[in-house]
Amino acid sequence: MSAAGPSQGANSTPLGGSAAAKPRARGEYATAQATAHSVVEASARSKWISGTIVAAYALLTITPLLWIFLTSFKTPTDSIAYPPKVISEPSFEGYCNLFTIRSRQAPEYMATLPPATTYCDKIARERDVVIAGPSKTPGRLMNSLIIGFGSTFLAVFLGTLAAYAFSRFNVRLKDDLMFFILSTRFMPPIAVAIPVYLMYRQVGMTDTHLGMILLYTAVNVSLAVWLLKGFIDEIPREYEEAALVDGYTRLQAFVRTVLPQAATGIAATAVFCLIFAWNEYAFAVLLTSGVAQTMPPFIPFIIGEGGQDWPAVAAGTTLFIIPIVCFTVLLRKHLLRGITFGAVRK
Amino acid sequence: MATNIDMINAVPIPPIGEASTGRLGGMSDRAIAWLFITPTIVLLLAINIFPLLWTIYMSFTNFKANMGWVKYRSVGVDNYVDILTDTDIWTAMQTTAHFVFWSILFEVLLGFGLALLINRKFRGHSLWTTVILLPMMLSPAVVGNFWTFLFQPQIGLFNYIVGWVGGVDPGSFQMIGDVKLAPWTIVLVDTWMWTPYVMLICLAGLRSIPDSIYEAAEVDRASAWRRFWSITLPMVMPFLMLAVLFRGIENFKMFDMVNLLTNGGPGSLTETVSITLKRAAFEKWQTGWSSALAIILFLTVFGAANIYVKVLNKVKQR
């Protein structure tokens, strides 16, 4: 579909050809050519019907997410009300409970305390508890960020180098190596976790940031190599050849012409890696317990007094999901590539 | 652009032709290729292949990781024989097969249907597409966790809506705790989460069909039904295969969503093979036995992955 083959005219002004390297969606000119009667262009009536069905499905599919979002702003009582309350008095109790731990105190002791100052304090007092300190949530969020960004950086760095080599050079056993790299992605996580657990125990890397970063890098690097190879394949070789003719070494040509051209692809790849690391659960739950625990294994264990504190769980889930929603919207043009390892480009 | 670089790079320019064979920084292409590829391969060997070899070794022993000081010994292929004749494993395999088959069937029907509708390019189709895509980007673990809230009897939103639509008491059925419903619960959540995946790939397939083929069919007066069966379906098929294979592999080894949604329960009714593996490896600590199971799983997945990559390369040529 995307014809990024060599074009003869590129010499000292290589930027002129960049538009040709960009794949163009088929729909763009299909709409332009549409006539009143066409098999290609749907009729207004059928468009209206399709639109209604798709919109209905979209609303249905988004309902669980909206419900979690709404629940995060409910009081614990409202969150488990029957019938379920769609509209309720907005409350930030879930968020307060997510970030604090509270303890029940004797009324005599409560009476001696100075008046509550912050919003969370006031809510706690109404429930006859006092805030005893911050919860583990900020630490877990921080772990998610450190491990996510650390592994993303490493995976994209290694992936870019390998992808460039696979894209430009005649590497021996190229297809076998590429398959080997991809096949590691298909390993069942639990199957990998057993020996990795033993290995990390030997070298003292269980429940460490470094251990998790290396593990996630290994999983992500396969995606990074395949995705980035697709992106780099699309950059005409003439850019580098021109640079080589101008007297640059291969490395200089790579750094100064290929990297800037691949910037969008590298960014998209990085977001995919970040989302994977952010979402990963199986390794995290089996190989971490405290120091390096990330959010996914932590969220289910946000428990309040007397059972699951649903507003707090919903608050944690909401905070956890919001970055992904933003990235999905940003990434939507590249999603297809990401989920097919760069094979389908639209 | 090139002239810009010239100004930045004011070092003496080596003669053309020797640029790729100079000193440091001007290594041969071959050296660069290996320099660039080796770190990735080394990392994968260390984190994936070395552990894999270790797993193979352990699968022939009766090692227990929580009792590392106990001397373990080789048991030959006993673990493998044990697993392949274990009725619990075959039950777990059936549970997994049920889950994989039905979730993929629903995802294909819904996903392909939605793709056909979205391909009519009605107004606002890209906005709705983005909304529909959201679930597949989420963490399966977090998804499994918040669906337990929606499936709460009486107070859960899902039970309430089903009760309201179906006219039954929302407290009268439990999606997670019920023997009949629990296997369908994981299918339902998986379908909710991964339909967009199949949809997106089918949409790409639909968009890869040149308009001229449909126009030619119109000239030949092919009916809409005929056009669908003779043009649309065969042309989308490789893409659909891609989606089905990938989902098949992923669902076969599905762990996180099921673990948090039902944790294999009630009893071991929704215990997929990955859950069995986790229980054996990290709860019963039968490291040797579970290593053998891991190898069996890996071989299955590896075989499927091989086919997947073939389809992937086929689609790539389109």
Side-chain angles (χ1 to χ4, degrees):
Chain A
M1 275 152 270
S2 65
S7 56
Q8 292 301 316
N11 39 36
S12 59
T13 54
L15 269 186
S18 72
K22 218 177 166 186
R24 178 163 288 163
R26 160 142 261 109
E28 276 174 33
Y29 48 88
T31 8
Q33 288 177 348
T35 49
H37 173 73
S38 159
V39 270
V40 180
E41 182 73 15
S43 71
R45 191 183 140 82
S46 102
K47 275 189 182 190
W48 190 85
I49 296 172
S50 321
T52 315
I53 299 174
V54 170
Y57 180 86
L59 291 176
L60 189 69
T61 200
I62 204 74
T63 307
L65 292 180
L66 291 178
W67 189 251
I68 293 302
F69 181 74
L70 281 178
T71 304
S72 77
F73 293 105
K74 289 178 183 173
T75 59
T77 330
D78 281 345
S79 75
I80 53 169
Y82 179 82
K85 278 189 183 175
V86 179
I87 316 245
S88 59
E89 184 88 0
S91 155
F92 290 90
E93 191 170 349
Y95 291 89
C96 288
N97 290 357
L98 179 65
F99 285 104
T100 59
I101 46 172
R102 299 154 307 283
S103 68
R104 196 162 283 279
Q105 299 290 351
E108 300 81 45
Y109 174 77
M110 298 278 285
T112 64
L113 290 173
T117 47
T118 63
Y119 177 82
C120 290
D121 261 339
K122 282 181 191 138
I123 287 187
R125 297 290 172 83
E126 282 171 25
R127 307 260 183 261
D128 293 329
V129 292
V130 288
I131 290 171
S135 71
K136 289 175 180 168
T137 313
R140 299 299 188 262
L141 271 172
M142 204 59 204
N143 285 343
S144 272
L145 288 173
I146 293 171
I147 293 170
F149 279 99
S151 65
T152 299
F153 174 78
L154 268 178
V156 171
F157 178 74
L158 294 176
T160 310
L161 295 183
Y164 177 73
F166 281 123
S167 171
R168 291 298 194 260
F169 303 124
N170 264 327
V171 181
R172 256 203 306 163
L173 301 173
K174 183 194 276 184
D175 290 344
D176 295 308
L177 279 176
M178 286 291 282
F179 175 68
F180 162 70
I181 288 173
L182 187 64
S183 69
T184 57
R185 177 119 188 153
F186 288 120
M187 287 194 185
I190 315 284
V192 181
I194 301 169
V196 167
Y197 172 81
L198 298 174
M199 187 166 88
Y200 277 10
R201 206 169 61 171
Q202 285 291 323
V203 294
M205 287 215 299
T206 18
D207 205 10
T208 60
H209 291 108
L210 180 66
M212 294 313 283
I213 289 175
L214 285 179
L215 193 55
Y216 288 173
T217 306
V219 181
N220 269 334
V221 81
S222 54
L223 176 72
V225 171
W226 274 69
L227 266 183
L228 283 165
K229 181 174 179 292
F231 282 114
I232 294 176
D233 280 346
E234 279 171 10
I235 304 169
R237 283 160 184 257
E238 280 71 21
Y239 292 80
E240 288 148 273
E241 277 160 20
L244 289 176
V245 169
D246 284 349
Y248 299 111
T249 63
R250 262 288 178 190
L251 280 181
Q252 287 168 327
F254 167 65
V255 173
R256 296 198 183 152
T257 66
V258 178
L259 284 188
Q261 292 279 319
T264 319
I266 292 174
T269 308
V271 174
F272 272 108
C273 293
L274 193 60
I275 290 179
F276 170 83
W278 184 255
N279 282 346
E280 210 284 331
Y281 169 78
F283 289 130
V285 77
L286 296 172
L287 300 173
T288 66
S289 47
V291 184
Q293 195 183 45
T294 51
M295 281 301 271
F298 174 70
I299 288 175
F301 292 96
I302 302 169
I303 291 174
E305 243 183 7
Q308 198 80 310
D309 183 352
W310 287 114
V313 174
T317 308
T318 304
L319 291 182
F320 184 79
I321 285 178
I322 284 174
I324 301 179
V325 173
C326 299
F327 277 133
T328 306
V329 174
L330 282 176
L331 258 189
R332 63 190 187 283
K333 293 238 150 50
H334 297 290
L335 272 182
L336 191 61
R337 268 170 184 261
I339 62 172
T340 59
F341 301 98
V344 185
R345 287 161 200 175
K346 206 172 241 179
Chain B
M1 194 66 177
T3 45
N4 267 341
I5 297 169
D6 277 343
M7 285 187 287
I8 299 161
N9 189 45
V11 292
I13 295 167
I16 297 164
E18 284 179 27
S20 54
T21 52
R23 292 167 280 108
L24 187 75
M27 293 176 293
S28 73
D29 285 0
R30 217 181 129 81
I32 293 177
W34 285 113
L35 183 73
F36 278 13
I37 292 171
T38 314
T40 299
I41 301 292
V42 168
L43 180 77
L44 290 176
L45 287 177
I47 307 278
N48 277 314
I49 301 308
F50 173 67
L52 183 70
L53 295 175
W54 197 347
T55 313
I56 294 175
Y57 165 72
M58 284 189 303
S59 72
F60 294 107
T61 69
N62 62 354
F63 180 61
K64 285 172 87 73
N66 63 334
M67 297 197 286
W69 61 91
V70 177
K71 258 198 124 37
Y72 58 92
R73 59 185 175 81
S74 164
V75 292
V77 292
D78 280 7
N79 286 330
Y80 288 92
V81 174
D82 208 43
I83 288 165
L84 294 175
T85 53
D86 188 339
T87 49
D88 287 351
I89 292 293
W90 289 108
T91 315
M93 284 284 185
Q94 276 171 19
T95 308
T96 313
H98 176 275
F99 168 60
V100 171
F101 176 81
W102 289 106
S103 57
I104 289 182
L105 181 71
F106 291 138
E107 280 156 26
V108 165
L109 291 178
L110 275 172
F112 195 21
L114 282 170
L116 283 171
L117 294 178
I118 289 173
N119 199 36
R120 292 190 185 159
K121 299 186 196 75
F122 50 85
R123 203 128 69 112
H125 68 96
S126 66
L127 170 77
W128 293 119
T129 311
T130 310
V131 172
I132 290 176
L133 288 175
L134 278 177
M136 75 169 188
M137 303 302 286
L138 305 178
S139 166
V142 171
V143 165
N145 181 52
F146 75 62
W147 273 92
T148 60
F149 178 55
L150 299 167
F151 283 139
Q152 297 279 317
Q154 196 82 16
I155 59 151
L157 184 69
F158 180 85
N159 282 40
Y160 183 75
I161 291 178
V162 169
W164 186 70
V165 173
V168 290
D169 176 21
S172 67
F173 62 100
Q174 292 189 10
M175 291 301 287
I176 293 170
D178 189 272
V179 176
K180 278 208 195 82
L181 292 176
W184 295 103
T185 307
I186 54 176
V187 172
L188 176 79
V189 176
D190 195 78
T191 307
W192 174 78
M193 190 165 179
W194 293 109
T195 294
Y197 181 92
V198 180
M199 182 199 86
L200 192 58
I201 294 182
C202 284
L203 200 55
L206 289 173
R207 287 181 178 163
S208 79
I209 306 174
D211 295 343
S212 56
I213 299 187
Y214 285 116
E215 278 148 9
E218 163 104 289
V219 172
D220 291 344
R221 302 188 169 215
S223 66
W225 188 245
R226 183 73 203 276
R227 286 200 299 269
F228 176 78
W229 286 103
S230 320
I231 304 172
T232 313
L233 199 60
M235 298 281 279
V236 176
M237 212 31 142
F239 290 83
L240 200 57
M241 279 294 291
L242 196 71
V244 166
L245 271 170
F246 190 80
R247 288 307 333 143
I249 295 171
E250 288 291 303
N251 281 7
F252 177 69
K253 59 182 195 181
M254 173 67 71
F255 168 73
D256 27 18
M257 188 270 282
V258 178
N259 189 47
L260 279 167
L261 190 62
T262 65
N263 194 13
S268 58
L269 209 71
T270 56
E271 187 176 298
T272 55
V273 188
S274 280
I275 307 262
T276 312
L277 183 57
K278 183 209 73 173
R279 286 184 175 171
F282 293 95
E283 282 165 24
K284 298 176 193 159
W285 294 103
Q286 302 165 321
T287 314
W289 187 89
S290 48
S291 296
L293 182 56
I295 295 297
I296 293 175
L297 279 192
F298 175 72
L299 287 178
T300 318
V301 169
F302 191 77
N306 239 309
I307 308 172
Y308 173 77
V309 171
K310 290 209 173 75
V311 178
L312 202 66
N313 285 328
K314 194 173 153 196
V315 168
K316 218 168 167 177
Q317 285 156 12
R318 287 277 290 273

